Amino acid sequence: MKKILVLNHFPTVYPPTSGGTLRYFHIYNELSLYYDVTLLSQTDWRKGGVFQFSSRYREYKVKKDPLHKQIIQDFQNGEEAYEFALIINVELSKHPSLYKNYFDDLYRTSDIIIHESPYLLEYDRFLGLDDKPRIYNSHNHEYLLANQIWKNQKARNSLPSIYKLEKKLVEYADLVFATSEIERDNFISMYKKDPKKVKLAPNGIYPDEWLQNKEKSKLMPSAFFIGSDYPPNIEAVDYIIHHLADKCPDIEFIIAGGCCNSFSTIKKTNVKFLGRIHHLQKLKLLTDVDIAINPMFSGAGVNLKSLEFLSAGIPLFSTHCGVRGLSLIDKEHYIHAEKEDFAAKINQFCHKKIYLNEMSSRGQKYINANFSWSLIARSIYEEIEGILPV
């Protein structure tokens, strides 16, 4: 059985809850039906070690060594920004480290090397020097995403380096997987990659994991948003608090996930912050709420929260950015709303229960038929098999 080694700058969690960890865990969980899979990740000062998910699927979580702290001090110089965590990974890859030692050791017995992003590319010192296939299983077009959402000027000075790393990864990769047609086209045009080597691997869901929906008995309809501590999610929560909550006073807005961290001092009667929640809590919430909202105005890739909302059968109100890459039809699968009319759309449709139920049923059937993790992983497997020597 072929062995896959996967490099990533963040660890998964089990059960996964946020967008990145959902993709990271589930794709390789499914691929372990076909290959022996090892994830090589970095902890964020959490417990390191080997975590065995099955006999053919495991994760090495590597503790960040003291050198990481020194690079943080030298590079950040007291500044705080989301971007620095990514840039520091690039800087750390230029030095001897625990992660480099683990990679060198696991590399020897691996047949296929997969990169989840360009940020750890420099660890792969055998790139272009061996005959082992390389695959870029992108979560996003990282350079375009960084150029879009990075605000800190010192961090933006590193954008040319990120471009060069991603360009190098795409050029050397035997396969590149993009999450949407738009990102696939961007990889091809920006990095001049052979279109035959850039394939689709969208984000997905498990259609059977949702709890049974029950009748809602609340007088005040509830609108649900969930997201990690990530700039586009924080931007969405700020919009919910300062725009939607005031213009939709008869709606209870329930917000969950790390995106709540920046709003701990905010008090509004119709906004409820849950913070980080467990997987079972999320499943229960998805049966209790009346509608889901996704007022995203920036970001890249396919938004996993929209997939989950739709697959769970919840009526979804979303911006175009929030449903990017899904080919959804307004009022057929979801309600399209943008910054200027989001509140008006909620007020207009939230009490039309029969209409919303019929719409959400269509959206659910469409997503479940086209975006299951098992189907996505099977397609990835077939593409990988196509590049392996006979």
Side-chain angles (χ1 to χ4, degrees), residues 121-190:
L121 184 61
E122 295 303 303
Y123 285 113
D124 190 358
R125 59 192 180 92
F126 307 106
L127 181 71
L129 302 175
D130 60 23
D131 58 357
K132 295 184 181 184
R134 296 306 197 278
I135 297 169
Y136 179 18
N137 182 29
S138 69
H139 290 226
N140 313 283
H141 186 153
E142 292 293 345
Y143 169 73
L144 287 184
L145 177 62
N147 194 35
Q148 177 191 161
I149 70 171
W150 286 13
K151 306 300 182 185
N152 183 280
Q153 187 53 54
K154 184 176 181 180
R156 291 189 65 82
N157 292 338
S158 296
L159 285 174
S161 297
I162 304 306
Y163 172 84
K164 289 178 182 178
L165 281 172
E166 189 165 51
K167 185 175 188 292
K168 180 179 179 180
L169 177 53
V170 171
E171 286 177 345
Y172 279 94
D174 299 275
L175 273 176
V176 176
F177 289 106
T179 61
S180 69
E181 286 285 1
I182 292 174
E183 299 224 329
R184 178 179 181 273
D185 292 343
N186 286 337
F187 279 129
I188 293 168
S189 61
M190 180 170 285

Side-chain angles (χ1 to χ4, degrees), residues 7-10 40-42 89-90 93 99 115 117-124 165:
L7 282 69
N8 200 8
H9 59 275
F10 62 82
L40 182 58
S41 316
Q42 294 187 87
N89 277 307
V90 176
S93 70
Y99 192 93
H115 290 267
S117 79
Y119 295 108
L120 304 184
L121 184 61
E122 295 303 303
Y123 285 113
D124 190 358
L165 281 172

Side-chain angles (χ1 to χ4, degrees), residues 80-353:
E80 293 292 334
Y82 156 84
E83 300 94 310
F84 288 137
L86 299 172
I87 297 168
I88 286 165
N89 277 307
V90 176
E91 293 299 313
L92 188 63
S93 70
K94 300 173 183 176
H95 303 276
S97 67
L98 290 173
Y99 192 93
K100 186 184 288 288
N101 292 340
Y102 273 95
F103 171 76
D104 287 349
D105 185 51
L106 292 168
Y107 165 87
R108 287 194 288 271
T109 56
S110 299
D111 302 295
I112 303 164
I113 310 298
I114 300 182
H115 290 267
E116 294 285 286
S117 79
Y119 295 108
L120 304 184
L121 184 61
E122 295 303 303
Y123 285 113
D124 190 358
R125 59 192 180 92
F126 307 106
L127 181 71
L129 302 175
D130 60 23
D131 58 357
K132 295 184 181 184
R134 296 306 197 278
I135 297 169
Y136 179 18
N137 182 29
S138 69
H139 290 226
N140 313 283
H141 186 153
E142 292 293 345
Y143 169 73
L144 287 184
L145 177 62
N147 194 35
Q148 177 191 161
I149 70 171
W150 286 13
K151 306 300 182 185
N152 183 280
Q153 187 53 54
K154 184 176 181 180
R156 291 189 65 82
N157 292 338
S158 296
L159 285 174
S161 297
I162 304 306
Y163 172 84
K164 289 178 182 178
L165 281 172
E166 189 165 51
K167 185 175 188 292
K168 180 179 179 180
L169 177 53
V170 171
E171 286 177 345
Y172 279 94
D174 299 275
L175 273 176
V176 176
F177 289 106
T179 61
S180 69
E181 286 285 1
I182 292 174
E183 299 224 329
R184 178 179 181 273
D185 292 343
N186 286 337
F187 279 129
I188 293 168
S189 61
M190 180 170 285
Y191 301 129
K192 312 303 180 188
K193 188 69 173 176
D194 181 354
K196 294 179 182 178
K197 294 186 177 182
V198 186
K199 307 294 183 177
L200 281 180
N203 289 330
I205 38 79
Y206 283 122
D208 299 328
E209 77 169 326
W210 315 116
L211 303 177
Q212 192 67 34
N213 284 335
K214 60 185 181 183
E215 289 296 318
K216 314 295 192 300
S217 59
K218 303 183 296 297
L219 294 176
M220 177 181 277
S222 55
F224 183 49
F225 179 85
I226 186 170
S228 60
D229 190 3
Y230 173 59
N233 291 331
I234 295 169
E235 180 185 22
V237 175
D238 185 79
Y239 175 76
I240 293 169
I241 294 168
H242 296 108
H243 295 274
L244 296 186
D246 293 336
K247 294 180 179 180
C248 305
D250 297 326
I251 303 292
E252 180 186 28
F253 292 91
I254 300 173
I255 304 172
C259 59
C260 296
N261 296 347
S262 300
F263 304 96
S264 59
T265 61
I266 300 292
K267 305 293 182 185
K268 287 210 170 183
T269 57
N270 65 331
V271 179
K272 183 177 182 181
F273 295 102
L274 301 180
R276 297 182 188 277
I277 59 174
H278 298 296
H279 184 62
L280 287 177
Q281 289 176 278
K282 183 176 80 170
L283 293 181
K284 186 174 185 303
L285 277 165
L286 292 176
T287 70
D288 291 341
V289 298
D290 295 285
I291 64 172
I293 57 172
N294 199 12
M296 301 291 285
F297 307 110
S298 59
V302 171
N303 200 278
L304 256 158
K305 63 175 70 66
S306 287
L307 280 168
E308 292 192 326
F309 293 152
L310 290 161
S311 179
I314 308 170
L316 173 63
F317 293 69
S318 177
T319 58
H320 177 72
C321 182
V323 295
R324 58 192 179 268
L326 297 179
S327 300
L328 299 179
I329 301 172
D330 180 28
K331 300 190 178 62
E332 174 74 15
H333 304 122
Y334 81 114
I335 301 293
H336 174 241
E338 293 297 338
K339 186 174 289 188
E340 63 276 4
D341 66 354
F342 212 113
K345 290 288 182 70
I346 291 176
N347 289 328
Q348 179 185 355
F349 288 102
C350 71
H351 295 289
K352 297 181 179 182
K353 293 185 178 180

